[in-house]
Structures are given as C-alpha cells and as structure tokens.
Amino acid sequence: MRPDRGDGDVLWGGGVRRRGGGGVGVDGVVSDRRWAADVRAAVFCALALFALVVLIDLANGTLDVLRGGLWAGLSGLLYLILHPVRVTVGPGWLAVRGLLRQRHVCTGLLTAVRYSEGVAARLVLCDSLGNRVEVDSQVLVENPLLVHRLEAGVRDARERGLLRTGSEVLGRLSARLDGDVAKGVFEVSGLR
C-alpha cells in the first residue's frame, strides 16, 4: 500500500517519487528513465543472436560444445557492447556508470562544457577537480529532469566564476528540449 499525498506524488520509502517512474529518487537523485528498457533491449539482442546462431548450427548438424561456447562468448561480447551507461544526477554531482567503471563530476565545480559531434553526439563535462565525463546528448534530451539538475549545477559554477567555456552549449540543448516539448504539446492538442 502506497500512501498518496493527493497531488500526484506518492510517498515511497521515506521520500517522494513522481508517478510514472520519472526517475526521481528519495534524496532528489534523478536517473535516466530509459536505462532499464535499454538494458532489456541489449539482453534481447544478445539472446536473439545466440538463439539464431545455435539454431543455424543445429540445422546444419555442426553444433558441438566448442562452437556453443564460441557463440555464447560472441553473444556475451555483443551484450557488453550494447550495455547502456547509466546517467544519474544528484544535488551537485553527475555520474555516468558503465559495466566496469563509474565517472563523476561535481556540477557546481564545472570548468568546461563542450559538445562533441561525431557518430554519437556527446556532451563533455570537466570539473575543477580534474574529473571528466561524457554524456550522450540523446539521454539528456529524453530526460528533462537530468537537464534541469545539470543547469542548476552550471549556474552554480558560473556564479563561482569557475565555468570558463561552454555555458551556451547547455543553453542550446535546453532550447532544443523546450522546442521538442512545445512541438509535442501542439501535436497532442491538434494544433500545427
């Protein structure tokens, strides 16, 4: 039984969480709300590859223990490649956690924000402690709460005089996000 506060929020474990799985934790920690779905998709792709190659080997009569181990290793490698990083933002920090390591920056101590274009566009954040993280910009576009928390940290860093480059980069990302939200509202309401 979850006690309802009546305003759309649900008390859960001593804190408030938004309905709909918005990714807000007890201590105000916000995480990527699509991460679990991306993990399931990576597992599905790896298992589908394994099943497909085993079925092909069975049909040809060439499946043995060595080949089965090879296909399992190949499927495991595919999962490692497809496993998404988990982006989490809390009061004053941003963390990016993969399978093997976790990197974080103190958002109130940011010194540089850069936009790195390439195959996958990334936002590169550096803080005064020497920490550096790269965040897929699509993760930020799909999670407005992450952007809001990051903007608060950028404002703190700018007020302290630490942020030397890149404050306009996050502004452009925010404008893109606002444009996407406005476009969605117009489409839902039938206005064009």
Side-chain angles (χ1 to χ4, degrees), residues 50-75:
F50 180 72
L52 181 66
V53 293
V54 166
L55 285 174
I56 290 171
D57 255 1
L58 278 174
N60 289 332
T62 57
L63 183 65
D64 58 8
V65 174
L66 181 62
R67 289 178 69 95
L70 175 70
W71 299 138
L74 185 65
S75 296

Side-chain angles (χ1 to χ4, degrees), residues 107-114 124-128 150-151 153-170:
T107 56
L109 301 176
L110 287 175
T111 57
V113 177
R114 292 187 306 271
V124 180
L125 308 168
C126 302
D127 68 10
S128 62
L150 186 56
E151 283 177 332
V154 167
R155 275 193 305 273
D156 289 346
R158 196 177 314 132
E159 288 171 3
R160 292 179 181 152
L162 293 173
L163 187 61
R164 294 184 293 254
T165 61
S167 60
E168 72 282 347
V169 171
L170 201 56

